[in-house]
Amino acid sequence: MGAMSVRSQSTEPSESSEAVHRAGFACFVGRPNAGKSTLTNALVGQKVAITANQPQTTRHTVRGIVHREDAQLILVDTPGLHKPRTLLGERLNGVVRTTWAEVDVIGFCLPANEKIGPGDRFIAKELAGIRKTPKVAIVTKTDLVDSKTLAEQLIAIDQLGKELGFEWAEIVPVSAVGDKQVKLLADLLVPLLPEGPALYPEGDLTDEPEQIMIAELIREAALEGVRDELPHSIAVVVEEMLPREDRPADKPLLDIHANLFIERPSQKGIIIGPKGKRLKDVGIKSRKQIEALLGTPVFLDLHVKVAKDWQRDPKQLRRLGF
């Protein structure tokens, strides 16, 4: 979270009095499947966060950056807040609370098509404890409901804030799928940011190191179809990325060596599949996405290794980047 401290140096007044430029951090929170990553991607206009229907796939802070004439909105994607069952869980919750206290605005995503449940209340209660940061309620997936259901949800969300003793800065319905109101959302978030110059260069869409994004893409492909058997017992570490020697400049090839760590030897067969077919498919699928991300041909070398009970072992957690 080093980038958070940048703001203290960036309080110079803006050059002309009319055009105030704002820059700051926002994070989206909400239950798994509440539409956080989809919203991040819609705002940034490019696939940055990893969307998945499994909690905690975005384990690292992925930032998407929205560049506008009048502002720069930096989206910090915190891992989901959940009741911790393991050391990793507790560590993630610590990261979440720290992040919430450091950003300039928090967007709480609530799907329009699901009634407010205990998971939402759990998060809202935590939010109520963070007094200073403005909170925007974002009603996602509005394309899935009729106007009556939407109206009921808006009233319920307003009530939720009142019950917990805080006022929402805004309550905004959006449908990221139809791009409806995504721009409106940005228009409402921007005034909540502090004044100051851009914190990131124009071309940046994410400051996530490429290795971590690549590891996420591989992990995502590896989990596809086996989530029930291995919910989060896969960690991926990109050991090295090297341009292949002796290639002509116009035909580069990047060699990427990555290890997939699982907790138990019995899980190896699940990942590799009969005659290695599954692992091969994982390689083909993630390679295409990595090539799209980097814009260069890639040779991907994947190995499956057992790291015993890595979710509970502080030494392994550190080595795997948590």
Side-chain angles (χ1 to χ4, degrees), residues 37-59:
S37 299
T38 311
L39 196 56
T40 301
N41 297 335
L43 279 163
V44 177
Q46 186 166 338
K47 188 171 159 124
V48 193
I50 313 291
T51 50
N53 53 2
Q54 181 71 16
Q56 284 163 266
T57 39
T58 325
R59 283 228 167 117

Side-chain angles (χ1 to χ4, degrees), residues 6-305:
V6 178
R7 229 180 55 236
S8 52
Q9 296 104 31
S10 62
T11 45
E12 309 92 83
S14 49
E15 279 110 78
S16 72
S17 51
E18 297 91 78
V20 172
H21 188 278
R22 294 178 182 276
F25 297 87
C27 75
F28 294 141
V29 304
R31 283 183 293 125
N33 282 339
K36 303 182 291 285
S37 299
T38 311
L39 196 56
T40 301
N41 297 335
L43 279 163
V44 177
Q46 186 166 338
K47 188 171 159 124
V48 193
I50 313 291
T51 50
N53 53 2
Q54 181 71 16
Q56 284 163 266
T57 39
T58 325
R59 283 228 167 117
H60 300 275
T61 306
V62 178
R63 297 187 181 85
I65 303 171
V66 183
H67 298 278
R68 300 176 24 139
E69 286 287 294
D70 59 336
Q72 189 176 63
L73 174 66
I74 299 141
L75 304 170
V76 184
D77 211 18
T78 50
L81 187 77
H82 55 97
K83 303 206 162 108
R85 281 191 306 273
T86 59
L87 177 67
L88 174 64
E90 282 167 40
R91 205 169 280 188
L92 285 174
N93 281 358
V95 171
V96 172
R97 292 199 181 89
T98 318
T99 305
W100 289 6
E102 286 174 342
V103 295
D104 300 299
V105 55
I106 300 170
F108 182 18
C109 297
L110 294 131
N113 61 336
E114 293 172 38
K115 284 208 172 5
I116 293 174
D120 299 315
R121 283 180 190 281
F122 177 67
I123 295 173
K125 230 182 170 137
E126 290 285 333
L127 286 179
I130 296 169
R131 291 253 169 260
K132 289 211 282 279
T133 317
K135 297 167 261 298
V136 173
I138 303 167
V139 190
T140 58
K141 311 190 183 188
T142 53
D143 48 309
L144 302 179
V145 299
D146 57 24
S147 51
K148 183 172 170 293
T149 311
L150 179 56
E152 283 164 6
Q153 186 72 323
L154 295 174
I155 292 164
I157 291 169
D158 188 45
Q159 279 304 112
L160 181 63
K162 289 203 173 79
E163 263 168 57
L164 295 170
F166 68 87
E167 187 78 36
W168 298 107
E170 305 275 356
I171 300 179
V172 200
V174 294
S175 158
V177 181
D179 262 352
K180 256 208 208 82
Q181 287 182 296
V182 171
K183 187 184 168 309
L184 169 71
L185 174 62
D187 291 342
L188 294 172
L189 293 175
V190 163
L192 301 169
L193 303 178
E195 290 180 27
L199 302 171
Y200 285 86
E202 178 66 59
D204 286 5
L205 288 170
T206 170
D207 75 346
E208 183 79 350
E210 281 169 348
Q211 253 121 317
I212 292 177
M213 289 186 79
I214 289 167
E216 283 283 359
L217 288 170
I218 296 169
R219 182 164 183 268
E220 200 38 21
L223 277 172
E224 199 113 314
V226 294
R227 284 186 202 284
D228 303 337
E229 298 159 88
L230 308 172
H232 354 267
S233 34
I234 300 180
V236 176
V237 176
V238 173
E239 295 292 336
E240 55 176 16
M241 288 170 53
L242 296 166
R244 176 82 55 97
E245 312 252 316
D246 65 33
R247 296 284 290 209
D250 57 343
K251 287 206 171 67
L253 181 69
L254 189 62
D255 282 316
I256 298 179
H257 300 277
N259 289 328
L260 281 84
F261 289 97
I262 48 181
E263 292 186 294
R264 291 185 290 285
S266 60
Q267 299 170 332
K268 218 168 170 168
I270 302 175
I271 289 285
I272 295 174
K275 294 204 173 111
K277 185 176 178 328
R278 236 196 123 255
L279 188 63
K280 203 172 160 187
D281 291 345
V282 169
I284 292 168
K285 187 171 181 212
S286 51
R287 194 191 78 231
K288 284 197 178 115
Q289 294 185 312
I290 294 165
E291 290 180 336
L293 174 77
L294 301 177
T296 167
V298 162
F299 172 79
L300 182 59
D301 176 37
L302 293 181
H303 292 274
V304 179
K305 300 195 169 181

Side-chain angles (χ1 to χ4, degrees), residues 305-317:
K305 300 195 169 181
V306 179
K308 237 165 90 53
D309 291 330
W310 62 265
Q311 295 201 1
R312 295 174 197 284
D313 175 351
K315 210 163 85 223
Q316 302 266 22
L317 282 172

